Amino acid sequence: MEKAPLAAPIVGPERQLAELTFKAMVLGALLSMILAAANAYIGLLVGLTVSASIPAAALSMGVLRLFRRSTILENNMVQTSASAGESLVAGIIFTIPALVMMKAWSGYEYGPMVAIAILGGVLGVAFTIPLRRALIVEARLKFPEGVATAEVLKSGGIETDKTKTVTGKAAENGTSAGVKTLLFSAGLGGTFKLLESAGGVLSGGVSTIKSLVAGKYLFMGDITLSPALIGVGYIVGLNIAVLVFIGGVIGTLIGVPLNWWLNSSAIMTAVGIAPDTPWQTLSTENWQALAVQSWQNCRRIGVGAMIVGGLWALISLAKPLMQGVKASISAYRESKSGNENHIARTEFDTPIHYVLIVVFIAIFPLLYIFYQALEGYEGREMIAAIMTVLMLVFGFVFSSVAGYMAGLVGSSNNPISGVTIATVIISALILLQLMGNQGMAATLGPIAVIFLAGMICSAAAISGDNMQDLKCGHILGATPWRQQMMQVIGVLAAAIVIPSVLNILDLGYGIGRQSPINPDATPLSAPQAGLMRDLSTGIFGAGIEWNFIFIGFVLAVLLIVLDKVQEKRGSEFRFPVLAVAVGIYLPLGLSVPIFAGGLIAHVIKTKNKQETDSIQKKREGKGLLIASGLITGEALMGVIIAIAAVAWQGAFPLLKGFGMSGLLGFVTLLAIAAYLYRKTLSAN
């Protein structure tokens, strides 16, 4: 791989600017909590998460401008802490809801969740420390989001002191404009969600189910009306957006009618209708139930594709895995032989012996948590010890992979889901051999697997995102050990709020199930957590319905072949399996606005090619801020409405059955999409 040229940091190692300040720590912790809540909502809704570093950087610059003094390094500390919270929640929502779905927990238990999040997150930070120099300084990987965040922070100037002019007025105006753009777009997303979920003035989606050709063709289609999903599509880009949409088409527009045509009798039996019932006598409600059942069957195609995609991700990461582990070992040896007194400020990591102490201390709470999870199983001491070893080994290996892949493809495209699927399968097979699947083992085995997966997924998610932050810090001239300390602060802050956020979302909307107090609400899909439940319980003998899963296996192999062909051709358009698999698993309606957002990003990117580099960067930054604002605003309003729904026992929406809500929602969403397009292109 061709190495990018090294450049001197913005703040040289000889300079001492305010960095790890009290206000930076407080603001970083608060933003970590807020962005964790927002990412929890959007991740559970659509199964995709996006990096929050850029909106965190913009908000940090806006808030720190209110103080008399602030520096670019303080801003970097804040976004580091904030993005740690955003990435930690991804590790939790991809795994832990499986415990509630499998009825191991009745709700989201605060103590165990905090412990899982803290241990996984802190170990993820620890595992990235020896990787920083190896991957950022030596390998010089791209880390695209880290570079983009550094560009945003540079726009605010190096240092602000209101007693004297240090940064120019242009930088201050640029910072103010960026914050205003972010807040305004967040207001748009939040207002849409308020009018939709709480008011009922706007519809959250439009859908139709039709039986055509005398019932032989069963059509099911829908569009989710969501500014946040347009923002997600814009950020992930056209390639991923198209693949998610293709998955939706396969699962719904093709799969539902084809499944009905081939298996109508079985589908009728599954919903409680006698197979010999004449189709012309079926009511609208009957057809709706039949369409939903047909779609539920087709979702398993996505499960099969995700299984193969996860294993393929692990196989294809064999080379990065070895490079990441070698880099870690090399960095460890270098740190032991080096003299810390002669290390430049901008290269001073947390000393490796502190890292080893943290890992050693973590052994004891890990043992306790796994021991408690296996309560009632004879011989749980040995199983808890083995699980602790698995956590440390897999956690280190997969954190190395995630850190390396973040440098290649970025945090938003990092295959964390694939790593977690591989973790669940491997750990479940190991525990099955050790515990068997008789008696208590059949119940406790899957629970133990999800506990382990939650920690490993959290560590891997933190590792990838934090390497982006360390790259940003390397460009700016941050002190690495201080940045690593802020990563821990972000993990701790997010960990204490994540369980409450998930509990509120589960009560207000339902996570992978109907809300216990608000049955009219549309549940959040939580696709990865549903897959983790199916895999862990299936391996331990609860059974998996394989027919549709086998179809998913075949589809995944075809996609892998297509992807390799595209790679050989040098094409930018690729076919990652997991994007298509998630699209199949999710309702079609969610993929439509994601596709629209990706299309808008592509059109703007095409138009940008005709402009200067300066204008291109401005437009890229503005588009990211608007898209991030739409996501954050809608997601936070979704959490607020869930809190209100819990307090008022599901009283929303206020206007139920409002006839114009669908049309108004569609028109409003088009207006917001037009705003994203026109406002981005107006940046000059």
Side-chain angles (χ1 to χ4, degrees):
M1 179 182 295
E2 185 179 345
K3 293 183 179 181
L6 281 173
I10 302 300
V11 180
E14 73 286 349
R15 295 187 66 181
Q16 295 290 337
L17 294 184
E19 196 168 358
L20 190 63
T21 62
F22 178 74
K23 63 178 182 287
M25 288 189 284
V26 171
L27 182 56
L30 288 174
L31 286 180
S32 176
M33 296 177 183
I34 292 169
L35 293 175
N39 225 27
Y41 175 87
I42 204 69
L44 290 168
L45 175 67
V46 74
L48 297 170
T49 57
V50 294
S51 175
S53 294
I54 289 176
L59 285 172
S60 169
M61 288 192 293
V63 174
L64 289 182
R65 286 281 176 187
L66 301 176
F67 292 87
R68 192 159 64 103
R69 292 187 178 92
S70 65
T71 73
I72 193 172
L73 299 186
E74 277 185 298
N75 281 306
N76 179 56
M77 290 293 157
V78 173
Q79 73 83 18
T80 296
S81 182
S83 62
E86 163 266 326
S87 57
L88 177 67
V89 80
I92 296 298
I93 63 174
F94 287 171
T95 52
I96 299 304
L99 293 170
V100 179
M101 294 180 189
M102 66 174 65
K103 298 186 167 75
W105 289 355
S106 59
Y108 290 87
E109 298 186 11
Y110 189 84
M113 284 188 68
V114 170
I116 290 170
I118 289 177
L119 282 168
V122 170
L123 285 173
V125 174
F127 293 147
T128 61
I129 290 171
L131 284 175
R132 186 200 68 84
R133 180 170 180 82
L135 299 186
I136 293 174
V137 181
E138 302 298 335
R140 305 181 203 173
L141 300 181
K142 293 186 297 182
F143 291 101
E145 281 127 330
V147 174
T149 305
E151 290 297 321
V152 171
L153 289 172
K154 283 193 284 186
S155 70
I158 294 175
E159 192 174 3
T160 298
D161 187 340
K162 291 185 178 178
T163 63
K164 49 188 174 180
T165 303
V166 181
T167 58
K169 193 70 176 174
E172 190 166 348
N173 289 340
T175 302
S176 176
V179 174
K180 286 178 181 176
T181 298
L182 181 68
L183 293 178
F184 184 79
S185 57
L188 287 178
T191 301
F192 189 99
K193 186 66 179 175
L194 180 67
L195 294 174
E196 179 258 310
S197 289
V201 177
L202 305 178
S203 174
V206 291
S207 62
T208 184
I209 293 174
K210 298 286 185 185
S211 60
L212 306 172
V213 195
K216 294 179 182 178
Y217 185 86
L218 185 57
F219 175 81
M220 178 183 183
D222 64 313
I223 301 174
T224 301
L225 304 178
S226 165
L229 296 184
I230 287 181
V232 169
Y234 185 92
I235 291 174
V236 300
L238 184 64
N239 192 167
I240 299 298
V242 166
L243 294 178
V244 173
F245 180 70
I246 289 173
V249 170
I250 292 171
T252 303
L253 297 184
I254 297 174
V256 168
L258 186 60
N259 186 29
W260 169 248
W261 182 53
L262 295 173
N263 302 301
S264 57
S265 296
I267 294 171
M268 292 176 76
T269 301
V271 300
I273 300 173
D276 57 356
T277 303
W279 289 349
Q280 60 267 27
T281 65
L282 297 177
S283 66
T284 302
E285 289 75 17
N286 291 150
W287 284 115
Q288 288 176 339
L290 292 168
V292 170
Q293 181 61 42
S294 181
W295 175 69
Q296 291 288 357
N297 291 341
C298 293
R299 294 180 83 185
R300 298 193 190 101
I301 298 173
V303 171
M306 276 194 267
I307 293 171
V308 173
L311 293 175
W312 176 250
L314 191 60
I315 293 168
S316 60
L317 291 176
K319 185 178 178 181
L321 167 62
M322 294 305 298
Q323 289 174 322
V325 173
K326 285 179 180 177
S328 295
I329 295 171
S330 173
Y332 169 68
R333 288 172 177 166
E334 183 181 334
S335 67
K336 288 197 72 176
S337 62
N339 187 343
E340 292 177 357
N341 293 326
H342 292 91
I343 297 176
R345 178 188 62 79
T346 51
E347 294 297 332
F348 199 107
D349 288 290
T350 303
I352 197 68
H353 58 276
Y354 289 160
V355 175
L356 295 176
I357 289 171
V358 168
V359 173
F360 177 75
I361 292 173
I363 292 173
F364 301 99
L366 285 172
L367 279 169
Y368 178 76
I369 290 170
F370 293 139
Y371 182 81
Q372 290 297 314
L374 293 163
E375 186 176 0
Y377 178 75
E378 188 176 351
R380 57 177 171 158
E381 296 87 354
M382 182 189 73
I383 301 298
I386 291 171
M387 290 182 67
T388 299
V389 173
L390 290 176
M391 168 58 206
L392 294 177
V393 174
F394 286 174
F396 172 72
V397 168
F398 291 143
S399 292
S400 298
V401 172
Y404 193 92
M405 291 305 296
L408 294 178
V409 300
S411 298
S412 297
N413 295 320
N414 212 341
I416 298 300
S417 297
V419 166
T420 310
I421 292 166
T423 300
V424 168
I425 293 173
I426 295 170
S427 59
L429 291 173
I430 291 172
L431 291 181
L432 179 64
Q433 294 301 312
L434 295 171
M435 299 172 64
N437 61 351
Q438 302 299 315
M440 291 292 291
T443 302
L444 293 176
I447 295 172
V449 168
I450 298 302
F451 268 67
L452 180 62
M455 290 187 190
I456 291 174
C457 189
S458 298
I462 281 287
S463 177
D465 197 73
N466 284 345
M467 289 303 295
Q468 297 285 356
D469 297 330
L470 290 168
K471 173 65 174 182
C472 177
H474 182 72
I475 294 170
L476 300 178
T479 307
W481 75 262
R482 293 189 172 103
Q483 206 169 356
Q484 290 149 3
M485 182 67 67
M486 284 297 287
Q487 291 167 355
V488 173
I489 290 172
V491 165
L492 297 177
I496 63 176
V497 301
I498 288 173
S500 299
V501 170
L502 293 194
N503 202 43
I504 288 166
L505 291 174
D506 188 43
L507 292 173
Y509 301 101
I511 298 176
R513 62 173 185 168
Q514 288 297 127
S515 164
I517 67 167
N518 191 14
D520 294 332
T522 302
L524 302 171
S525 298
Q528 286 90 348
L531 173 62
M532 305 309 163
R533 172 202 59 193
D534 293 344
L535 284 175
S536 58
T537 56
I539 289 172
F540 272 87
I544 299 177
E545 295 185 36
W546 289 104
N547 291 339
F548 288 91
I549 291 176
F550 285 142
I551 296 173
F553 289 172
V554 174
L555 176 62
V557 171
L558 291 174
L559 290 169
I560 289 168
V561 171
L562 278 173
D563 189 55
K564 297 305 287 184
V565 169
Q566 291 293 88
E567 181 184 24
K568 195 169 183 179
R569 292 177 56 209
S571 173
E572 291 185 3
F573 193 92
R574 302 289 295 277
F575 287 90
V577 176
L578 290 172
V580 179
V582 167
I584 295 172
Y585 191 89
L586 293 171
L588 171 68
L590 292 172
S591 67
V592 175
I594 292 174
F595 174 68
L599 197 59
I600 293 170
H602 177 70
V603 173
I604 291 174
K605 184 178 179 180
T606 302
K607 287 182 175 291
N608 264 355
K609 290 179 180 178
Q610 305 165 8
E611 304 294 343
T612 64
D613 288 345
S614 174
I615 292 177
Q616 286 184 33
K617 285 184 178 180
K618 286 180 181 178
R619 288 180 176 177
E620 287 171 7
K622 193 157 198 172
L624 284 172
L625 286 176
I626 295 172
S628 299
L630 294 175
I631 296 169
T632 305
E634 181 178 333
L636 290 178
M637 184 58 71
V639 175
I640 293 168
I641 291 170
I643 295 171
V646 172
W648 281 286
Q649 294 296 300
F652 302 121
L654 299 176
L655 296 178
K656 295 183 180 179
F658 177 57
M660 298 288 291
S661 62
L663 178 60
L664 286 175
F666 188 72
V667 171
T668 304
L669 188 65
L670 286 178
I672 291 174
Y675 169 79
L676 170 61
Y677 175 77
R678 294 176 65 86
K679 198 71 175 176
T680 301
L681 285 180
S682 69
N684 288 307

